[in-house]
């Protein structure tokens, strides 16, 4: 706030405050002994307010200031009604508002924890049966050779980036009919922080959306955002942050992609759009939540010098695709937009 000036006459102060409000400039009045200090809340409009104050001081009895009082009172009444209506429509998110247990959300959390344990948080056993079954792409030595990824003249350890950074290699497992692989990487996580972050946000959004829309429709939203985020992440070229299958112990190629983040950002985007455009959606997302999730996504997109080298291992395309797909579904299914 910025100090606009002082007035001694309380009626004059009231008239000026009313006139400023009609002009769209909110003020705060503090009384110091026999003087009234006027503060402008929006500093960007301080210059305009100062000019009005100067004109008022020159002629405080101008009829336009007195006539603005009634108009200002109507503005205050209208805003008060809006706030009251919003307060009535808002529902606090707490356990009492949750009508039933969000079973699908809980099952997904349990599944993620289980997979994290059996794969040693994705780091210890990339060639384990669990990782091989859930990864986006998994090619054996023979399958890779059929795609000309490996030959007798090209030892496994010397496979080039060009040979694996191809759409036919990236989508080989899916094209063989293993379509579940566009979804199942969401259950793989790399490290405690990774799974903890995703599970907290999955539960925060999942419990509300599953109870609001039912398990079936919530499940469709999860499947859609998972598929969009995983597919985009796995078809984008390596040199701009995409994920391609790489050689791991056991003479296999496997895509080391994992995490619920794409779905989490999808749920966040859906929730965000619903809270803005759907009048029947009684929940509201806080500004701090928006800042945290959007800020985190931008942070990991920064060059390594700025994000402590973490961005290189983050599936940024999956985050962006999940967010965009969730926002699109939320907006398009809001009848009052």
């Amino acid at each position: 706030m910025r100090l606009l000036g002082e007035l001694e006459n309380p009626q004059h102060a009231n008239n000026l405050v009313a006139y400023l409000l009609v002009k769209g400039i909110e003020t705060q009045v503090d009384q110091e002994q026999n003087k009234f200090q006027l503060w402008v809340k929006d500093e960007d409009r301080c210059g305009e307010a100062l000019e009005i104050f100067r004109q008022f001081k020159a002629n405080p009895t101008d009829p336009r200031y007195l006539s603005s009082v009634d108009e200002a009172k109507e503005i205050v009444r209208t805003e008060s009604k809006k706030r009251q209506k919003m307060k009535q429509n808002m529902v606090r998110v707490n356990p009492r508002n949750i009508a039933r247990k969000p079973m699908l959300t809980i099952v997904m959390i349990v599944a993620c924890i289980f997979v994290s344990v059996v794969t040693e948080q994705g780091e210890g056993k990339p060639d384990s049966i669990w990782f091989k079954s859930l990864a986006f792409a998994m090619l054996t030595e023979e399958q890779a050779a059929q795609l000309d990824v490996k030959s007798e003249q090209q030892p496994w350890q010397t496979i080039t980036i060009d040979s694996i950074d191809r759409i036919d290699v990236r989508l080989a497992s899916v094209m063989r009919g293993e379509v579940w692989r566009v979804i199942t990487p969401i259950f793989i996580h790399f490290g405690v922080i990774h799974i903890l972050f995703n599970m907290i946000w999955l539960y925060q959004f999942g419990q509300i959306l599953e109870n609001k829309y039912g398990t079936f429709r919530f499940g469709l939203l999860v499947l859609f955002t998972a598929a969009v985020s995983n597919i985009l992440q796995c078809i984008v070229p390596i040199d701009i942050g995409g994920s391609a299958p790489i050689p791991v112990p056991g003479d296999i190629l496997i895509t080391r992609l994992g995490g619920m983040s794409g779905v989490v950002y999808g749920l966040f985007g859906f929730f965000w759009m619903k809270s803005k455009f759907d009048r029947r959606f009684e929940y509201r997302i806080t500004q701090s939540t928006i800042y945290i999730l959007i800020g985190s996504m931008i942070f990991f997109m920064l060059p390594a010098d700025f994000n402590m080298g973490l961005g290189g291992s983050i599936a940024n395309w999956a985050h962006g695709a999940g967010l965009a797909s969730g926002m699109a579904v939320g907006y398009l299914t809001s009848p009052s937009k």
Side-chain angles (χ1 to χ4, degrees):
M1 291 192 299
R2 188 75 63 84
L3 180 62
L4 180 61
E6 294 181 344
L7 294 172
E8 295 183 358
N9 188 314
Q11 186 60 49
H12 287 178
N14 183 65
N15 293 347
L16 179 56
V17 168
Y19 183 76
L20 288 168
L21 181 60
V22 170
K23 293 294 184 180
I25 303 174
E26 291 189 60
T27 56
Q28 176 178 311
V29 180
D30 293 335
Q31 185 173 356
E32 292 287 340
Q33 295 180 350
N34 295 326
K35 294 184 179 180
F36 298 88
Q37 294 181 342
L38 278 66
W39 298 79
V40 179
K41 293 184 179 181
D42 187 354
E43 294 193 12
D44 292 336
R45 304 196 65 180
C46 190
E48 181 182 353
L50 285 170
E51 178 59 24
I52 292 174
F53 184 75
R54 185 188 64 78
Q55 294 175 6
F56 179 85
K57 291 279 286 186
N59 186 13
T61 59
D62 191 312
R64 58 177 171 167
Y65 302 121
L66 182 60
S67 63
S68 64
V69 173
D70 290 338
E71 188 175 351
K73 288 180 180 179
E74 183 60 32
I75 291 174
V76 172
R77 280 195 294 267
T78 301
E79 289 299 318
S80 179
K81 289 179 181 179
K82 286 183 180 179
R83 285 194 295 269
Q84 187 64 27
K85 186 176 181 180
M86 183 178 294
K87 185 177 180 180
Q88 291 173 351
N89 291 335
M90 287 183 67
V91 177
R92 288 186 176 274
V93 180
N94 58 52
R96 294 180 181 178
N97 298 133
I98 306 303
R100 58 189 180 276
K101 289 185 178 180
M103 293 309 300
L104 180 56
T105 301
I106 294 172
V107 168
M108 289 194 296
I109 292 173
V110 171
C112 288
I113 295 173
F114 173 79
V115 172
S116 181
V117 172
V118 297
T119 61
E120 296 182 12
Q121 298 177 14
E123 298 291 351
K125 298 179 179 179
D127 60 336
S128 71
I129 184 63
W130 289 101
F131 206 112
K132 290 191 292 186
S133 300
L134 300 175
F136 187 89
M138 197 291 293
L139 291 81
T140 64
E141 183 177 3
E142 180 182 355
Q143 292 167 339
Q146 292 174 355
L147 294 173
D148 295 325
V149 175
K150 180 190 175 187
S151 67
E152 292 181 1
Q153 291 75 33
Q154 184 181 9
W156 190 262
Q157 293 78 9
T158 60
I159 291 176
T160 63
I161 293 295
D162 291 340
S163 68
I164 59 174
D165 198 17
R166 292 164 22 201
I167 291 294
D168 61 332
V169 176
R170 291 164 174 263
L171 298 178
S173 297
V174 176
M175 297 303 292
R176 287 201 308 267
E178 300 170 2
V179 293
W180 69 84
R181 295 183 182 274
V182 302
I183 306 296
T184 51
I186 66 176
F187 299 109
I188 302 170
H189 286 84
F190 302 96
V192 175
I193 299 299
H194 189 204
I195 191 171
L196 188 61
F197 178 89
N198 284 339
M199 295 306 98
I200 289 174
W201 288 112
L202 174 61
Y203 187 74
Q204 291 295 316
F205 293 123
Q207 65 170 336
I208 297 173
L209 296 178
E210 186 175 352
N211 278 297
K212 172 70 176 176
Y213 297 105
T215 298
F216 179 74
R217 285 191 288 178
F218 173 70
L220 289 179
L221 178 62
V222 170
L223 291 175
F224 177 69
T225 54
V228 171
S229 57
N230 286 334
I231 290 172
L232 184 63
Q233 181 65 38
C234 291
I235 64 174
V236 169
I238 294 176
D239 58 359
I240 57 172
S243 301
I246 59 174
V248 299
D251 286 343
I252 59 173
L253 287 177
I254 200 162
T255 306
R256 290 179 59 78
L257 167 70
M260 191 66 70
S261 303
V263 172
V264 165
Y265 274 99
L267 299 181
F268 161 58
F270 178 87
F271 199 109
W272 190 4
M273 293 299 100
K274 281 292 182 181
S275 67
K276 287 179 66 66
F277 297 107
D278 192 341
R279 294 177 182 174
R280 300 175 305 179
F281 192 76
E282 62 268 29
Y283 302 95
R284 293 294 176 266
I285 197 164
T286 64
Q287 288 296 315
S288 60
T289 297
I290 297 173
Y291 294 152
I292 290 171
L293 289 173
I294 296 297
S296 297
M297 186 169 67
I298 295 174
F299 173 76
F300 288 120
M301 289 180 178
L302 296 174
D305 291 343
F306 295 94
N307 65 20
M308 300 175 290
L310 297 174
S313 61
I314 302 298
N316 292 310
W317 288 98
H319 293 176
L323 177 62
S325 59
M327 291 177 70
V329 175
Y331 179 77
L332 294 174
T333 57
S334 297
S336 57
K337 60 182 179 292

